[in-house]
Amino acid sequence: MRITGYRALNTVQEWGRAVGDANGVYADGLTEVPLVLVTTDEGITGVGMGPHVELDAVFAAIDGEDPRGVTALYDRMLRQMFKAGHAGTVFGTIGAFDTALWDIKAKAAGEPLWRLLGGRDRVVPAYASGLDIDLDDEELVGTYQAYAEHGLRAAKLKGGLDVERDRHRLSLVRDVLTEAGGGSRPGLMLDANECWSRKQAVRHVAELEHTLDLIWVEEPVRRWDAEGMAAVGRGVRAAVASGENLSGLEQFRPLLAAGALDIVQTASVWGVTHFLRVAALAHGHDLPVSPIGTNPVGLLHAAASVPNHMASELQVLQPPVGVALDLRIESGAFILGDSPGLGIVVDEELIGACELKPATVSFDGPGVRPERAGQRLLAAAG
């Protein structure tokens, strides 16, 4: 089998509400979903999701190769891009191709990827994550009631700009999940998206912990600040989670060496091979891993095969326009199907006919760090 080419498509995710975090908001509730489809001479096509940056340059590393040698091809793509740098969005392009190759490999074997990777159980525990910082109380409650109807009993809220507002919103969601769970205690997490300094993080979380029990606080300080993450971990009861914006094992090493992380995260956009390697590194430090992403399909399959998976992020309850997924959500978990590969079916005609366009471009909204992040004296207005 040989790789013969690729196609790049863009579709959209319809959220039906505003989505965002401490850095910004997509007010129209539409976000872009870039797809990469890799073709072979045996008629098998693999699907990956990720950026369309330096596509031709990255593809040159795998063109004409046997896609079943996916881990070697992953390293080949890294070598192809090392001089200019294979971090950031380029790392995401590599991840998209990598995920597509795993899809092909599993389809060629006639097995779902979770089974090909050695998974025993198709059930992947999940937690709800609404990207909800712009929602009012009624919208927030309605959003998490919808998650609760699918059995979700743990939730991660966006926050970090106003401690009293965070306390109020976390309490609302706690009450929703408690009622849905018949009175059982739910799990709560808070994601600050790197908006604090070290002391701000400790003060904010410690204040919340007077009345709330948080499982973890996510990205409390800058993603690379090993000393700062460790300081936050010492100053609060909650675990510290981070890693979704780190690309490459070399970026995790100083954090793990400093004891800065309690929960190790990777983003779905970085690909399956990266997740498997990070999971192994974390397991060597007796740490759990938790995948992050809007449609983390590849990482869900991979998570089913590793011994240290804790829970995966569930953001949306429906797939992007023109994309069908062989999985369902019930009893608080992703239930993976038996379709060979990732179980992704792409309707290119439907995507081509879709006229929805996000009003907020990708380099605006949550993708831009605010000028005063980490330097605010008072709660953010509004």
Side-chain angles (χ1 to χ4, degrees):
M1 185 187 301
R2 297 294 167 185
I3 296 168
T4 57
Y6 75 89
R7 299 192 298 281
L9 305 173
N10 273 296
T11 186
V12 295
Q13 183 73 55
E14 296 181 89
W15 295 80
R17 55 181 173 81
V19 291
D21 57 34
N23 300 310
V25 174
Y26 296 119
D28 63 349
L30 293 175
T31 54
E32 287 189 346
V33 180
L35 304 171
V36 174
L37 281 63
V38 177
T39 58
T40 67
D41 60 357
E42 295 191 12
I44 300 176
T45 298
V47 181
M49 299 182 186
H52 294 167
V53 177
E54 299 286 355
L55 282 167
D56 288 341
V58 175
F59 181 73
I62 62 174
D63 190 12
E65 296 287 328
D66 188 327
R68 292 168 295 185
V70 55
T71 53
L73 293 180
Y74 177 79
D75 288 320
R76 188 177 173 90
M77 288 187 282
L78 291 180
R79 292 197 304 273
Q80 181 84 2
M81 304 306 295
F82 97 100
K83 195 68 173 178
H86 51 59
T89 51
V90 174
F91 198 71
T93 300
I94 293 171
F97 279 120
D98 173 71
T99 300
L101 297 185
W102 278 109
D103 191 24
I104 293 170
K105 184 179 178 75
K107 286 176 176 174
E111 292 189 330
L113 182 58
W114 64 267
R115 184 173 288 127
L116 181 74
L117 290 173
R120 178 175 176 269
D121 194 342
R122 69 182 69 232
V123 178
V124 181
Y127 67 87
S129 177
L131 281 71
D132 46 49
I133 201 164
D134 201 50
L135 303 184
D136 62 27
D137 289 358
E138 183 178 354
E139 293 169 327
L140 185 71
V141 168
T143 295
Y144 282 92
Q145 283 176 337
Y147 289 126
E149 289 170 3
H150 289 80
L152 277 294
R153 299 294 179 262
K156 182 177 76 183
L157 275 65
K158 297 293 188 179
L161 300 179
D162 184 330
V163 68
E164 293 306 326
R165 183 168 187 260
D166 287 349
R167 189 194 313 278
H168 174 67
R169 299 173 80 249
L170 285 161
S171 298
L172 286 176
V173 172
R174 178 196 59 195
D175 293 344
V176 168
L177 299 182
T178 298
E179 181 179 356
S184 61
R185 182 177 181 177
L188 296 174
M189 296 85 88
L190 182 68
D191 188 354
N193 291 100
E194 304 182 58
C195 77
W196 294 321
S197 67
R198 300 175 188 183
K199 278 295 186 180
Q200 285 176 330
V202 172
R203 290 177 64 241
H204 197 112
V205 177
E207 178 60 31
L208 290 175
E209 289 181 329
H210 287 310
T211 55
L212 294 165
D213 183 28
L214 298 177
I215 296 174
W216 77 60
V217 56
E218 187 168 318
E219 289 193 324
V221 295
R222 299 312 302 273
R223 65 196 71 171
W224 52 75
D225 187 1
E227 184 179 325
M229 293 273 191
V232 174
R234 291 190 297 268
V236 302
R237 296 199 312 268
V240 173
S242 190
E244 66 174 284
N245 288 306
L246 301 181
S247 49
L249 296 185
E250 68 279 2
Q251 296 185 12
F252 284 86
R253 283 203 304 266
L255 293 167
L256 296 178
L261 299 181
D262 303 300
I263 314 292
V264 180
Q265 298 172 316
T266 74
S268 58
V269 71
W270 305 140
V272 172
T273 300
H274 174 67
F275 169 79
L276 292 172
R277 292 179 177 181
V278 171
L281 180 64
H283 189 47
H285 288 78
D286 291 320
L287 294 173
V289 289
S290 180
I292 297 293
T294 304
N295 293 283
V297 185
L299 268 55
L300 299 178
H301 283 260
S305 73
V306 301
N308 54 332
H309 172 256
M310 174 178 275
S312 291
E313 183 174 40
L314 170 58
Q315 294 184 354
V316 290
L317 295 171
Q318 69 287 324
V321 172
V323 177
L325 305 176
D326 184 16
L327 62 81
R328 64 186 190 276
I329 301 160
E330 62 182 42
S331 301
F334 296 95
I335 314 297
L336 302 174
D338 284 318
S339 297
L342 294 172
I344 300 176
V345 177
V346 176
D347 186 333
E348 296 188 50
E349 289 189 8
L350 183 58
I351 291 174
C354 179
E355 297 182 352
L356 296 172
K357 299 294 181 184
T360 306
V361 292
S362 58
F363 51 82
D364 197 356
V368 176
R369 181 169 170 82
E371 183 178 0
R372 298 297 296 172
Q375 301 172 19
R376 298 183 181 94
L377 290 177
L378 303 174

